[in-house]
Amino acid sequence: MASSIHSTSPVSPPPTFRAGLRAGIPVAIGYIPIAIAFGLLAQSFHLPNAITLSMSFLIFAGASQFITVQLLMTGSMYWEIILTTFILNSRHFLMSAALSQRIESTSRRLLAVIAFGVTDETFSIASTRQEARSGMFVLGLNTIAFLAWNVGTWMGVFLAFGLPSTLQASMGIALYAMFIGLLVPSLTTRPIFVVASLAIVIQAILHWIITPFFPISDGIRIIVATVAAAGFGAFLFKEEEVT
């Protein structure tokens, strides 16, 4: 009888929830100061604490939360705020769909929880790490980002009580500083530069030329500038140029 020799190679254990938490630490560290700025900004506009904290806990939308606070304080209508937030966050449909195809053997309930916690930063990590084929790894990654954002918001809200009113009011610039910080590193890419420039031009035309004769609210101007610039970019640049 011939004997066969079976070579066994060590099988690496599946990535765990704890591994996802560790992978998300850099994201969490980056989220805390931005979330603190959001809490301070909401306080500078005297937004009720319950609304501020609920936005971070139930919406968890980062940039959209800054926009929402700004639109609330300028008296925009609720449908304008909802539509603006929807447009800004529509990219999450694509990111969640991409991750759902990458993650292996995960229940629909877990996929729904993962989809809620997907952000630009966690998606970037999950789309480049082999461990992200595990749903528990991605859940850990999203969880630490979610916790950091909420902790930062609480810190911002309650730190504001000890700050002078003039300093609280100056936190309104945090909105613009955050968007500039997100935009500038991407301007080296020609399509993004063109689309961003076009959005600025459209917003300027609407604000300085159109609005004095035909009043248009802030929310409508943001929606029009965003959709028009993004639509032009999708029409002008081919897929291979953008990627």
Side-chain angles (χ1 to χ4, degrees):
M1 179 182 296
S3 60
S4 59
I5 301 176
H6 300 279
S7 61
T8 59
S9 58
V11 179
S12 58
T16 61
F17 179 82
R18 183 178 298 181
L21 291 175
R22 288 196 299 267
I25 289 176
V27 174
I29 294 173
Y31 275 6
I32 289 177
I34 301 176
I36 291 174
F38 168 71
L40 291 173
L41 175 66
Q43 285 294 100
S44 70
F45 286 134
H46 306 291
L47 196 69
N49 292 344
I51 294 178
T52 303
L53 299 175
S54 296
M55 286 176 65
S56 287
F57 188 78
L58 299 175
I59 301 175
F60 185 44
S64 295
Q65 293 180 213
F66 281 85
I67 287 289
T68 299
V69 170
Q70 188 77 16
L71 293 178
L72 282 172
M73 295 305 104
T74 56
S76 298
M77 299 181 67
Y78 291 140
W79 72 265
E80 296 175 355
I81 298 173
I82 293 172
L83 184 57
T84 301
T85 303
F86 176 80
I87 292 173
L88 290 176
N89 286 342
S90 58
R91 67 191 187 280
H92 289 274
F93 289 113
L94 300 176
M95 293 191 292
S96 299
L99 283 182
S100 69
Q101 299 301 310
R102 180 179 175 83
I103 297 173
E104 299 174 348
S105 303
T106 302
S107 67
R108 291 187 177 181
R109 290 184 180 180
L110 183 55
L111 284 175
V113 175
I114 290 173
F116 170 78
V118 172
T119 66
D120 296 324
E121 292 76 17
T122 59
F123 174 77
S124 177
I125 294 176
S127 60
T128 57
R129 296 279 293 266
Q130 280 295 117
E131 302 97 314
R133 295 189 178 278
S134 165
M136 294 306 297
F137 176 88
V138 180
L139 180 63
L141 177 65
N142 291 350
T143 297
I144 192 169
F146 176 79
L147 293 176
W149 183 261
N150 280 270
V151 168
T153 302
W154 277 82
M155 293 172 65
V157 166
F158 293 107
L159 277 175
F161 288 116
L163 297 177
S165 57
T166 54
L167 184 57
Q168 291 186 38
S170 68
M171 287 307 300
I173 199 174
L175 171 69
Y176 309 103
M178 191 197 75
F179 279 112
I180 290 172
L182 290 173
L183 178 62
V184 169
S186 302
L187 291 180
T188 54
T189 304
R190 180 171 172 266
I192 295 177
F193 177 81
V194 171
V195 170
S197 301
L198 182 61
I200 293 172
V201 171
I202 295 173
Q203 176 72 359
I205 292 174
L206 291 174
H207 180 76
W208 297 107
I209 299 177
I210 306 297
T211 300
F213 300 99
F214 303 97
I216 303 175
S217 66
D218 292 343
I220 293 295
R221 290 201 300 268
I222 291 174
I223 293 170
V224 171
T226 302
V227 173
F232 178 80
F235 175 78
L236 182 62
F237 299 105
K238 303 299 182 182
E239 183 179 355
E240 60 269 20
E241 294 181 55
V242 177
T243 55

